[in-house]
Amino acid sequence: MLIDIVSVAPELLDSPFAHSIMKRAHDKGLLQVRTHNLRNWAINKHGQVDDYQYGGGAGMVMLCEPLANMIEHLQKEHTYDEIIYMTPDGPTFNQSMANQLSLKNNLLIICGHYKGIDQRIRDHYITCEISIGDYVLSGGELAAAVVVDAIGRIIPGVLNDETSALTDSFQDNLLAPPVYTRPADFKGWKVPDILLQGDPKKVEAWRLEQSMERTKTRRPDLLKKWD
Ligand code: ADE
């Protein structure tokens, strides 16, 4: 999968994909993330990519021209399955969106800054809008990093059995059950017996029960979607 990210601050995205599972996805040739500096498409030598908003009001708006030129330039090289705009007024990102996006080949992500991008770019180029939650970040880069991480780790072949995504929280609208590792007794705090008895069926039933219980107390809204 290729993910191109357009940003006025691409340095913010240098580190998130250079480690751990994202690095493994890259090294296995399963995920290529490229960042593109929108300032290279500025309308003048001062690097201008934004301007005051029509109608007045505080905050700058990202100009049509650099964004349109950059998107059209990238589209000459690749056909994108989705052109995604990171914005707090988009639909809230969730596991099901991550699952769907992980099956695509080429994604283009646009990071907004300031008051956001001119509405005409949203109307004519953007095919998908994503918010990562009901709060406002200073730019779309960290939100894009969250989305790319959630997508990248579930691209088929990235995780091995040990780290399988199938048992993650949210994959079946249930939170994951509690987990334990050695030692079986730490300061007198014991691992539940059932996990030590070596009966996979009982362990599975216990985990499901724990997942249900956790979801009921912490996220009852998820259970409504479960049946
Ligand atoms: N840009 C600023 N805030 C954001 C958010 N919550 N989600 C996605 N993009 C954003």
Side-chain angles (χ1 to χ4, degrees):
M1 176 188 282
L2 169 71
I3 303 184
D4 278 329
I5 308 179
V6 172
S7 159
V8 289
E11 316 75 42
L12 282 172
L13 295 162
D14 284 348
S15 173
F17 312 119
H19 308 279
S20 181
I21 290 167
M22 291 300 100
K23 182 171 184 304
R24 193 192 308 166
H26 177 266
D27 293 349
K28 282 186 174 175
L30 296 169
L31 174 64
Q32 187 190 8
V33 181
R34 306 190 305 182
T35 56
H36 305 272
N37 195 336
L38 187 64
R39 296 230 185 256
N40 295 336
W41 297 85
I43 56 166
N44 55 33
K45 63 179 190 313
H46 308 295
Q48 187 181 351
V49 291
D50 59 357
D51 210 331
Y52 296 102
Q53 54 177 317
Y54 279 124
M60 307 294 271
V61 175
M62 288 169 71
L63 291 160
C64 286
E65 195 181 325
L67 282 166
N69 287 342
M70 168 124 246
I71 293 169
E72 286 177 23
H73 168 79
L74 290 169
Q75 279 176 323
K76 284 192 193 119
E77 285 174 35
H78 292 101
T79 304
Y80 293 100
D81 300 298
E82 298 287 356
I83 301 182
I84 300 168
Y85 174 45
M86 302 309 307
T87 176
D89 59 18
T92 311
F93 192 55
N94 60 24
Q95 190 62 49
S96 148
M97 287 156 90
N99 292 349
Q100 282 166 35
L101 289 171
S102 74
L103 302 174
K104 308 284 185 188
N105 289 321
N106 299 323
L107 300 175
L108 175 58
I109 301 182
I110 311 293
C111 301
H113 262 257
Y114 323 114
K115 280 280 163 200
I117 66 175
D118 190 297
Q119 182 60 39
R120 289 166 291 184
I121 296 294
R122 296 174 75 162
D123 293 341
H124 297 286
Y125 293 95
I126 300 297
T127 61
C128 170
E129 299 188 327
I130 298 179
S131 164
I132 62 158
D134 290 345
Y135 41 81
V136 179
L137 302 166
S138 48
E141 288 76 12
L142 297 183
V146 166
V147 167
V148 172
D149 188 290
I151 295 172
R153 63 190 290 282
I154 51 173
I155 292 173
V158 170
L159 296 183
N160 51 33
D161 266 1
E162 263 169 55
T163 49
S164 166
L166 291 176
T167 53
D168 286 344
S169 285
F170 305 114
Q171 276 301 4
D172 44 14
N173 269 324
L174 286 179
L175 300 182
V179 291
Y180 299 86
T181 185
R182 277 177 280 264
D185 183 336
F186 177 68
K187 296 187 184 206
W189 304 328
K190 305 246 170 52
V191 170
D193 271 345
I194 205 143
L195 298 177
L196 308 173
Q197 285 162 6
D199 182 338
K201 280 226 160 65
K202 281 192 183 156
V203 169
E204 199 188 326
W206 179 86
R207 286 187 173 147
L208 179 60
E209 187 191 294
Q210 292 288 317
S211 280
M212 299 282 285
E213 193 51 41
R214 237 182 204 193
T215 311
K216 207 160 75 186
T217 47
R218 298 178 185 198
R219 291 293 306 277
D221 56 301
L222 293 175
L223 280 179
K224 285 187 204 116
K225 305 174 196 162
W226 199 69
D227 325 282

